[in-house]
Structures are given as structure tokens and as C-alpha cells.
Amino acid sequence: MADSKVKDMGLAEFGRKELTLAEHEMPGLMAARKEFGPSQPFKGLNINGSLHMTIQTGVLIETLAALGAKVRWCSCNIFSTQDHAAAAIAKAGTSTVFAWKGETLPEYWWCTEQMMTVPGADGCDQLVDDGGDATLLVHKGKELEEKFAKDGSLPDPASTTNAEFKCVLQVLRDSIQADKTKYTRMAAKCKGVSEETTTGVHRLREMAAKGELLFPAINVNDCVTKSKFDNVYGCRHSLPDSIMRATDVMIGGKRALVAGYGDVGKGCAFAMRGAGARVLITEIDPICALQACMEGFQVVTIEEVVGEVDIFTSATGNFKIITLEHMKKMKNNAIVCNIGHFDNEIAMEDLENFPGIKVENIKPQVDRFVFPDGHGVIVLASGRLVNLGCATGHPSFVMSCSFTNQVLAQLDILENCTKAKKYKNDVYLLPKKLDEKVASLHLPSLGASLTKLSKEQAEYIGVKVEGPFKMDHYRY
Ligand code: NAI
């Protein structure tokens, strides 16, 4: 569409070829097009999204469009856009994209605002978010508009030292000075959000608990066919891919530490072990720590092993995991990366501002920080999610599971929030039956044959022949 902004439209043809290949690997999304396309459920609706602008996301965007939506999109990370994917979507002309690889922070928030701003309308009808930045912008925007209406003041972006928040305040300040109720109208117009990742769901739950959530949210992350597949098997594929593309280092024989043994950490740990590394785990949760032990991983604290580890990967969704003190003690050329949603898992600001530190840029998204004592640490993707910064994220097949859930979540928002007002401003899960449907759609292309439950067997274990096959509390 006319107002798209991408790096290079010349990459569109390459992007289109890869989109076509990806469609073949995304059976769930293609089945959704076939099932729901003819009835055009999203006709007349604006669905906007903030989610890594990759080839796989391109197939999601074109699926939402095939179901009738007008789509506007931006990336949810400054490094994660695949420029050929963005160009192909923009060139097709049905959806609008604001995204390029290597955005600055001000550009990132500009893109987010452009994505949220729908020409000729107050905002989008439904939102797709990954990590919660778009949701945050609407909530913060409305909050600042209310403050401005009350006392005529707006916070000064210079008043915060947080570079990211500075940009949020700047974008909102400019916007509110031009239109005093833009975000208030946007919040009223948006009927619901479907959130992709653990960290975004965490933010939503906090807002809901405080009664601050302005519209209902669907937690896509906790669909079994999302977090037990994308987070685990996606990272199992894309973590070593990114470390190898970035550094070409031999993983076999190295000591690799994975911080966090949740879904993402499990995938990372198995990948590093599969590549021949000796894997160490850090955990705060005794259950996850015990799981790691039972898989034969050594559970340690970073402090115990910091001088011996070759490759550090943070996968916690928490902050301050790899600190400056740790990096000071690491061995020369230790590799440091993060696969969690936000870059605050690694103390990047402290590292960048350490007196006497020198930065050697090896290539885009690979920097060697050299301490005054001469030892260096190799930081990947400036501490941002390494698999999308230094490689191309998860492969299409696993993203098909995640994104089929996104489409089902958007259809759920349509039925229960846009057409009817069944949901409160809270965080909801999709029914298990839909999770099972997403899995079913992905079995044939793997050549799997599912055993059919007999009526007698179904009665014996207390389920229906057609499912759902497990109780809601089952953990898989
Ligand atoms: P999770 O909650 O399943 O796992 C996180 C684990 O970290 C938990 O077991 C927790 O006990 C542990 N942890 C928390 N603080 C810790 C600390 N100080 N030290 C050691 N361990 C600690 O979450 P999940 O799904 O594994 O996600 C982790 C992060 O990865 C989130 O930010 C999520 O949004 C992100 N993510 C990234 C993806 C990618 O492609 N890069 C894909 C999916 C999720």
C-alpha cells in the first residue's frame, strides 16, 4: 500500500519466492485460508500487528488478508525484519508494512505508531502483538492524554535514562500535541489483542490484575501448540543457527551455559547438547532445575562457572541475568547472547558505558567488547533476541502452529469481543479443542497416522471420541 516504508522494494521478488516456499511449509495457515477464506469473516476490519516481520509472518499477514482484513504491520524488534519479506508484502499492495532490519530506537517507535495509525479511522479493530509494545503504546498514550487533559503537562523524554522509554515518550508527546485524544479513541476502537509471547502475556496479566487493561486479550503463547512447539523446537533450531551464522564457532566440545530452563531454555539446551557442547543450566525454580538434572544437565549458578564457559545464552524472560560483573570475569572471546524477548537480560548499558571499554564491530549484529585488561566478549545482536537478530528466526513449519493459533485467536476476538461483548478486559486462553485442531492440521505433512479412539476406550478414559483428549490442567 501507498504508505508502506520498507528498506528496498527491489527485494520483493526474492521475498515472494520465499513466501511461496513458506506457504508449502505452513499447512495450518493454508488450511485456515481454505476453511475461512470463502466467508470473509474479517471483511471491513482493520487488523494491525507488531510481530517480527519475517517470511513466516508474511504468510500470517496474507492469511489475515485472505480472510478479508485490511492489515497494517510493523516488527516488534529492531533487528528482526527480513527486508525481502517486508518488500514482498508491501509490493503486493493489500497490506501496509513499516519495518526494516536495523531500525534505530526512534525509528522503531515511529514504525509502531505508523502501524497503529489507520488513515480514515480511529485505529484498528483488532490487534496482534508480540511482547506487548503496541499494547503498551496504546495504554501509555491514553494515560498521557488523560494527564494532559487534567493538568496540561506531558513528561519530558529527557527525564528518563531508559533509551527505549525516552522514544515512547517522544512519540507520544508529538502525537498528543497534534491530536489530544488519538490514543483514547484508539483504545476504545480496539476490541482485543492476541499476544504471541511469554513476556507479552506477563505484561498483560500484570495490567489485568491492576484493572488497567483496556481491552480483552487472548494468550496465544500458552496454547500448547505454541509454547510447547515454537518456544521449544523453534529455539532448538534457531539458537545454534544464529550462533553459527554470527561466529562460525565450533560448538562441539565447548561449555555452553543456558540461563533459564523453561520452554525456550529446554530447546536451547538440547540444541547445544546436540551440537556437542557440554551444557550447564541456571535456574531459580527447583522444578525446572530438577528437570534439567534428570536430563543430565549440570545445574549451576553463573558465579560458579563464569570463567570457564565459552557460550552464554540467556532464556529467562527476566532481567539482569548476565551482568557487567559476569562479563568482566568471562574468558577471552566468550560468546554472550540472549534469546529472551527483551535485551535487558544482558547488562548492555553497563557494558557499553564501562570506563575504557572498546567495541570492535566484526559485522552487523556481532560486536567484540574489549575490556581494559585486554580480554574481550563477543556480544550477539546487541543483546537482543539472537535467533532473529543473527539468523532468520524459527522455521516456517513451527511458526505455522503458532500463527494458526493467532488466526484462531483473531477469529475468537471477532466472535466474542467485536460482534458480541462476551469477554471482560482480562486475559483468555483458546479452548483445548482448537489446540488439538492446530496439531491435527500439521500431522499429515509429517506422515503421521493418528490412532482413532474407540467409543468403548473413550468411555473408559472419560473423554469424547472426537476430543478434547486431555483435561485443561494436563501439562504435556
Ligand atoms: P518460561 O517461563 O517457560 O521459562 C523461563 C525460565 O527462566 C523459567 O523456568 C524461570 O524459572 C527461569 N528464570 C527466571 N529468572 C531466572 C534467573 N534469574 N536465573 C535463571 N533462570 C531464571 O518462558 P519461555 O517461554 O521459556 O520464554 C523465555 C523468554 O523467551 C521470554 O522472554 C519469551 O517471550 C521469549 N521467547 C523468545 C522466543 C524467540 O524466538 N527468541 C520464542 C519464544 C519465547
Side-chain angles (χ1 to χ4, degrees):
M1 264 194 201
D3 58 341
S4 282
K5 189 160 162 45
V6 301
K7 186 164 265 162
D8 179 1
M9 286 298 258
L11 298 170
E13 199 182 327
F14 170 38
R16 181 53 54 190
K17 285 181 190 157
E18 288 221 326
L19 280 167
T20 307
L21 284 183
E23 286 176 0
H24 179 72
E25 280 285 297
M26 302 188 87
L29 286 182
M30 299 317 278
R33 288 187 196 181
K34 207 165 154 196
E35 181 177 349
F36 303 109
S39 62
Q40 293 287 287
F42 296 140
K43 197 168 168 39
L45 292 187
N46 289 294
I47 299 184
N48 294 6
S50 163
L51 198 159
H52 311 291
M53 185 53 251
T54 61
I55 288 291
Q56 293 69 33
T57 303
V59 183
L60 168 64
I61 291 172
E62 296 199 331
T63 302
L64 294 171
L67 271 57
K70 286 175 274 174
V71 183
R72 290 172 81 79
W73 215 265
C74 68
S75 215
C76 62
N77 184 282
I78 59 172
F79 292 137
S80 64
T81 297
Q82 291 168 10
D83 288 317
H84 61 316
I89 297 298
K91 181 138 193 224
T94 40
S95 307
T96 311
V97 183
F98 303 92
W100 55 94
K101 190 173 179 79
E103 294 158 3
T104 61
L105 280 180
E107 286 169 347
Y108 172 80
W109 286 101
W110 179 85
C111 287
T112 308
E113 214 223 357
Q114 293 302 308
M115 176 277 290
M116 290 303 290
T117 308
V118 181
D122 281 340
C124 66
D125 298 283
Q126 302 185 180
L127 183 62
V128 177
D129 209 353
D130 183 346
D133 278 354
T135 306
L136 174 131
L137 194 69
V138 184
H139 282 70
K140 197 76 202 159
K142 181 169 185 279
E143 182 193 314
L144 294 191
E145 284 174 358
E146 282 165 1
K147 181 173 156 42
F148 190 63
K150 213 152 94 194
D151 62 16
S153 77
L154 286 169
D156 180 359
S159 64
T160 169
T161 53
N162 181 309
E164 193 100 23
F165 200 52
K166 219 183 259 298
C167 299
V168 175
L169 289 182
Q170 190 61 54
V171 158
L172 290 174
R173 215 181 143 90
D174 294 347
S175 161
I176 294 168
Q177 274 159 359
D179 179 347
K180 293 181 187 56
T181 58
K182 174 171 166 173
Y183 281 93
T184 307
R185 299 195 312 274
M186 204 182 267
K189 173 106 179 138
C190 182
K191 296 293 175 276
V193 59
S194 54
E195 170 55 53
E196 173 79 2
T197 199
T198 318
T199 287
V201 170
H202 178 70
R203 278 180 166 186
L204 286 168
R205 285 220 179 94
E206 275 183 350
M207 282 192 272
K210 287 190 209 150
E212 291 172 358
L213 193 58
L214 297 172
F215 33 74
I218 307 283
N219 166 3
V220 169
N221 182 69
D222 288 300
C223 295
V224 179
T225 47
K226 199 284 182 182
S227 52
K228 298 292 170 190
F229 289 82
D230 162 333
N231 303 24
V232 184
Y233 308 121
C235 291
R236 187 179 69 180
H237 175 106
S238 59
L239 174 72
D241 183 19
S242 57
I243 293 172
M244 290 181 210
R245 288 197 207 198
T247 65
D248 280 332
V249 79
M250 175 77 186
I251 297 177
K254 295 285 194 308
R255 270 162 293 188
L257 181 140
V258 177
Y261 195 70
D263 290 325
V264 170
K266 289 180 173 73
C268 294
F270 278 99
M272 297 309 271
R273 174 147 84 189
R278 284 175 285 162
V279 180
L280 308 164
I281 302 291
T282 68
E283 250 301 340
I284 48 137
D285 178 339
I287 297 177
C288 297
L290 186 60
Q291 284 181 309
C293 290
M294 299 299 275
E295 291 291 352
F297 297 115
Q298 193 183 346
V299 177
V300 295
T301 64
I302 294 199
E303 289 72 23
E304 282 163 24
V305 295
V306 68
E308 297 157 24
V309 169
D310 303 283
I311 305 170
F312 293 84
T313 304
S314 190
T316 68
N318 202 341
F319 73 156
K320 300 184 179 176
I321 302 300
I322 299 178
T323 65
L324 177 64
E325 285 311 307
H326 296 144
M327 289 185 274
K328 280 195 215 163
K329 292 180 189 142
M330 285 177 188
K331 56 158 110 159
N332 187 37
N333 285 0
I335 295 168
V336 178
C337 65
N338 163 46
I339 197 163
H341 192 80
F342 286 120
D343 58 340
N344 55 2
E345 303 215 10
I346 302 174
M348 287 306 299
E349 258 185 55
D350 293 349
L351 181 65
E352 283 157 2
N353 297 322
F354 184 68
I357 199 95
K358 292 206 175 70
V359 191
E360 292 170 359
N361 177 249
I362 313 291
K363 61 181 180 182
Q365 282 86 57
V366 183
D367 296 290
R368 182 168 180 266
F369 285 78
V370 187
F371 284 85
D373 69 2
H375 91 284
V377 293
I378 301 169
V379 177
L380 306 186
S382 307
R384 292 171 192 270
L385 353 122
V386 66
N387 56 337
L388 284 135
C390 293
T392 51
H394 299 347
S396 301
F397 190 80
V398 84
M399 291 316 294
S400 178
C401 294
S402 304
F403 289 165
T404 307
N405 283 305
Q406 279 289 359
V407 172
L408 295 173
Q410 285 296 319
L411 288 166
D412 194 62
I413 292 173
L414 175 71
E415 289 308 319
N416 294 312
C417 309
T418 300
K419 286 188 185 166
K421 303 271 171 278
K422 288 203 192 139
Y423 290 173
K424 294 186 291 196
N425 293 349
D426 209 340
V427 186
Y428 292 85
L429 275 173
L430 289 178
K432 187 173 289 291
K433 193 81 199 89
L434 293 182
D435 234 337
E436 291 175 353
K437 174 174 173 167
V438 172
S440 298
L441 292 172
H442 291 87
L443 287 175
S445 49
L446 298 179
S449 311
L450 200 61
T451 300
K452 202 161 166 35
L453 200 58
S454 71
K455 195 167 173 298
E456 194 188 11
Q457 286 175 320
E459 276 166 15
Y460 187 69
I461 59 169
V463 300
K464 292 188 184 136
V465 169
E466 68 284 2
F469 300 101
K470 300 282 192 294
M471 302 302 238
D472 280 342
H473 62 257
Y474 187 79
R475 294 190 180 92
Y476 295 88

